[in-house]
Amino acid sequence: MQESRTGQQLTLRHGPHTAVVVELGAALRSYTVGERAVIDGFAAQDRITGGRGQILVPWPNRIRDGRYRWDGQELQLPLTEPTGRNALHGLLRWVSWRVVESSENRAALAVQLWPQPGYPFHLHVLAEYTLGEGGLEVAVTARNLGESAAPYGFGQHPYVMAGTATVDEAVLTVPARTWLRTDERGLPVAAEPVAGTAYDLRAPHAVGARRLDTPFGDLDRDADGRAVVRLAHPSGAFGTDVWLGEGAHYVQLYTGDTLPPGERRRAVAVEPMTCPPDAFRSGTALVSLGPGERHTVRWGITPWGD
């Protein structure tokens, strides 16, 4: 295991599949099949930018003004997105997770989220990565170690690739019946049907000029209970599926238009989420995690084709 700016590098292998998970934030650093890059990750010596591969706990996305009310308390979180005056992407991205298991095709890392200003709750979080015939499977389980119910949400932030120089040529399918219109701060204004809009991606469409930083909900699922977002090469010969299983009720799509110039539109961030942005305030799909209770989310990445 190699030391770097993101701590231990845990390499998982199964046949031609290789994935690397790092100690910092238990983030997914890379995933390849042979010479093919499945995600747009980061190098071992790089600093993580754009949220690449990061786990977003105890909330995904944004909380307006970092302020919310829970069990009669008015709580204030640090504004980690100062330009939008939002609390962004949770509290565990920049902390060291403890490696509890590391084998040829599996890694598990854990961390305690201690009570702190704005989030006076005590959680244990376990992230499990398993590489197999079906690709990479991720399970993240939170357990409430405290004596009162805690607000909880999860997200993760992989940038998916499909062998194109930019995402414009890639073909995207999103099995969602609604999209969330957002304001200039990236916060939801209303849930609207995708039918008749540029956000109707239930059939395959080239990404084209679409600029997405958009939450989707009301996901259609297959017989296994999975909602599958597909990014395919325009030839149709290969691509990458991101499946959302247990606990993942929303997905955010981001085409990277606000990243630094050299990083824009290289990939589509396909972000499984338990709840939409600002759920700590709206309560939409927010988990109330009681004392001793556990909550698990399962999602994964399946590369396919040549």
Side-chain angles (χ1 to χ4, degrees):
M1 290 182 290
Q2 175 188 8
E3 292 289 332
S4 79
R5 294 178 70 179
T6 49
Q8 295 185 41
Q9 309 288 298
L10 306 176
T11 300
L12 287 63
R13 293 186 175 88
H14 183 89
H17 298 247
T18 303
V20 180
V21 178
V22 301
E23 178 184 357
L24 179 62
L28 176 62
R29 180 171 76 73
S30 67
Y31 183 13
T32 58
V33 179
E35 298 299 315
R36 173 184 158 197
V38 176
I39 66 169
D40 186 17
F42 53 96
Q45 300 305 317
D46 285 350
R47 183 174 61 88
I48 302 174
T49 60
R52 296 178 190 280
Q54 291 184 315
I55 291 174
L56 318 177
V57 165
W59 72 88
N61 218 285
R62 295 164 173 85
I63 299 174
R64 182 186 299 272
D65 301 321
R67 188 179 303 125
Y68 67 103
R69 184 177 180 84
W70 184 259
D71 196 24
Q73 299 181 78
E74 295 288 344
L75 296 166
Q76 177 66 59
L77 292 156
L79 299 183
T80 46
E81 188 182 45
T83 55
R85 305 189 309 282
N86 298 314
L88 181 69
H89 288 340
L91 299 168
L92 293 177
R93 293 196 291 161
W94 306 111
V95 301
S96 178
W97 291 49
R98 178 172 56 90
V99 178
V100 296
E101 182 180 345
S102 179
S103 64
E104 178 70 14
N105 72 325
R106 179 176 159 80
L109 302 94
V111 70
Q112 289 201 51
L113 176 56
W114 293 94
Q116 57 193 272
Y119 195 80
F121 311 102
H122 188 190
L123 305 183
H124 176 274
V125 187
L126 175 68
E128 301 171 275
Y129 293 88
T130 305
L131 200 56
E133 290 295 331
L136 182 68
E137 180 171 343
V138 185
V140 178
T141 301
R143 177 164 56 100
N144 186 351
L145 302 179
E147 297 179 352
S148 61
Y152 177 75
F154 160 88
Q156 196 155 353
H157 210 294
Y159 286 76
V160 178
M161 306 179 79
T164 56
T166 69
V167 298
D168 303 48
E169 295 82 22
V171 177
L172 181 62
T173 309
V174 184
R177 284 173 278 125
T178 58
W179 68 287
L180 275 65
R181 182 159 49 88
T182 56
D183 63 17
E184 69 283 354
R185 295 168 65 183
L187 297 160
V189 174
E192 301 181 356
V194 298
T197 75
Y199 301 100
D200 191 348
L201 297 163
R202 290 172 292 179
H205 288 279
V207 173
R210 288 178 179 82
R211 295 169 60 94
L212 299 174
D213 194 359
T214 309
F216 292 83
D218 293 313
L219 305 175
D220 291 326
R221 297 179 181 269
D222 61 20
D224 295 322
R226 295 176 171 183
V228 179
V229 176
R230 170 165 288 187
L231 191 71
H233 189 270
S235 69
F238 63 94
T240 302
D241 290 349
V242 176
W243 58 265
L244 287 70
E246 174 187 356
H249 305 299
Y250 289 81
V251 64
Q252 180 101 2
L253 278 295
Y254 173 52
T255 47
D257 300 278
T258 57
L259 295 174
E263 301 177 14
R264 292 175 186 169
R265 300 185 70 84
R266 295 192 315 211
V268 178
V270 181
E271 308 166 34
M273 304 188 298
T274 59
C275 56
D278 213 22
F280 271 34
R281 292 171 61 94
S282 69
T284 303
L286 183 64
V287 174
S288 178
L289 195 62
E293 289 184 348
R294 289 176 167 84
H295 181 277
T296 298
V297 181
R298 299 184 191 277
W299 72 276
I301 302 175
T302 303
W304 52 271
D306 297 331

